[in-house]
Amino acid sequence: SDTQLNKKAGDDDGTTPQEERVEEQFLVAAARSIPNEYGTPLASYFVRRPHVTDDSLEKNETDELAKLAIDLWGNKCTHLSSSDDYKKYASVFKPESLEIVACIEADGSVFTLSGECNARHGKVSTMSSNNGSFDEDDSNIVDKEYEWSVFDNVEEMDRALGRVSHIDEEGNEREYWLDSIYEEALTTRESYCTSMISAAFTLKEVRGPLAQKREQP
């Protein structure tokens, strides 16, 4: 399962030189301080923060799409890690251990990335109401159910993930490629890891000396 992949990624006894030079407290602070949302014309991408629990930041979240991502991580996506497992095994130094949720504006569907290259595309179930896109004022966003298409080990697939057709607000037929969503999700994950590691080292440089001064008699 994807959870097992994450565990495998986190069970490596070896640590990178960067990991050895930055303490957990600075990783936690960095995870809490840097944005975990990236937007493109195709979708809004949310990185599941490592080193902290989802609910530690959920109380202050007001954006409806961000709430949806948190809800998917916590309840609707059984193929993703539990909160406890994710906090234990996810590491910013192992990008493949981080999970992504993409909210696709065009048709209100969602896309997840986990493990090295395991993907899912979730369309709103016919049993759920849907206006064809995400409405920021829709309080029922997190209550919708999804029907999932599974794409395990995408890099080994010998075919495209596929093209999705939809009707826009003006009644015109449009389309997008899941392959483009997948590539953007990978790029988002790499960018997030780079930003968070940089932030952690910056925090260490700033706070480390201050902490040492306070400890001196």
Side-chain angles (χ1 to χ4, degrees):
S1 66
D2 293 351
T3 301
Q4 290 174 329
L5 284 173
N6 287 343
K7 290 182 178 180
K8 183 178 180 181
D11 282 342
D12 187 357
D13 291 331
T15 57
T16 67
Q18 287 181 313
E19 284 180 277
E20 295 175 349
R21 298 200 307 270
V22 63
E23 291 79 6
E24 180 72 10
Q25 69 188 75
F26 300 114
L27 294 174
V28 171
R32 292 178 178 277
S33 63
I34 71 168
N36 71 325
E37 177 184 358
Y38 294 72
T40 74
L42 285 176
S44 295
Y45 297 84
F46 296 89
V47 183
R48 189 176 187 180
R49 292 182 175 94
H51 307 283
V52 297
T53 54
D54 301 327
D55 57 4
S56 65
L57 296 170
E58 183 178 5
K59 294 179 180 178
N60 298 323
E61 189 55 70
T62 58
D63 181 80
E64 290 299 325
L65 293 185
K67 288 182 179 179
L68 170 61
I70 292 171
D71 186 63
L72 290 171
W73 287 320
N75 299 304
K76 290 187 173 66
C77 294
T78 56
H79 58 277
L80 299 181
S81 305
S82 68
S83 181
D84 289 341
D85 281 347
Y86 194 75
K87 187 175 187 298
K88 183 176 181 180
Y89 296 110
S91 169
V92 70
F93 295 102
K94 299 181 176 66
E96 70 276 6
S97 69
L98 270 58
E99 299 171 350
I100 307 287
V101 164
C103 300
I104 304 172
E105 171 62 27
D107 58 359
S109 64
V110 296
F111 185 92
T112 69
L113 172 67
S114 59
E116 290 190 11
C117 53
N118 295 325
R120 303 282 192 279
H121 180 228
K123 290 186 175 181
V124 176
S125 169
T126 54
M127 298 298 291
S128 301
S129 61
N130 182 37
N131 61 3
S133 63
F134 291 109
D135 184 348
E136 293 291 344
D137 297 324
D138 184 0
S139 60
N140 294 320
I141 281 181
V142 297
D143 295 327
K144 294 176 179 177
E145 299 294 334
Y146 295 88
E147 297 174 348
W148 297 95
S149 297
V150 178
F151 307 98
D152 282 338
N153 204 5
V154 174
E155 297 299 327
E156 297 298 323
M157 292 175 57
D158 58 0
R159 60 181 177 84
L161 298 184
R163 180 174 53 188
V164 179
S165 298
H166 63 93
I167 305 298
D168 66 14
E169 295 179 351
E170 298 178 354
N172 300 314
E173 185 173 356
R174 303 292 185 182
E175 62 184 31
Y176 63 88
W177 286 89
L178 290 177
D179 303 77
S180 298
I181 302 292
Y182 170 74
E183 292 295 337
E184 288 190 348
L186 286 176
T187 301
T188 294
R189 188 163 65 175
E190 293 288 345
S191 298
Y192 177 85
C193 289
T194 299
S195 297
M196 183 175 157
I197 291 172
S198 177
F201 275 99
T202 299
L203 288 169
K204 181 176 181 178
E205 291 176 1
V206 173
R207 298 183 183 181
L210 293 177
Q212 292 178 356
K213 288 181 179 180
R214 286 195 294 268
E215 292 175 358
Q216 292 177 354

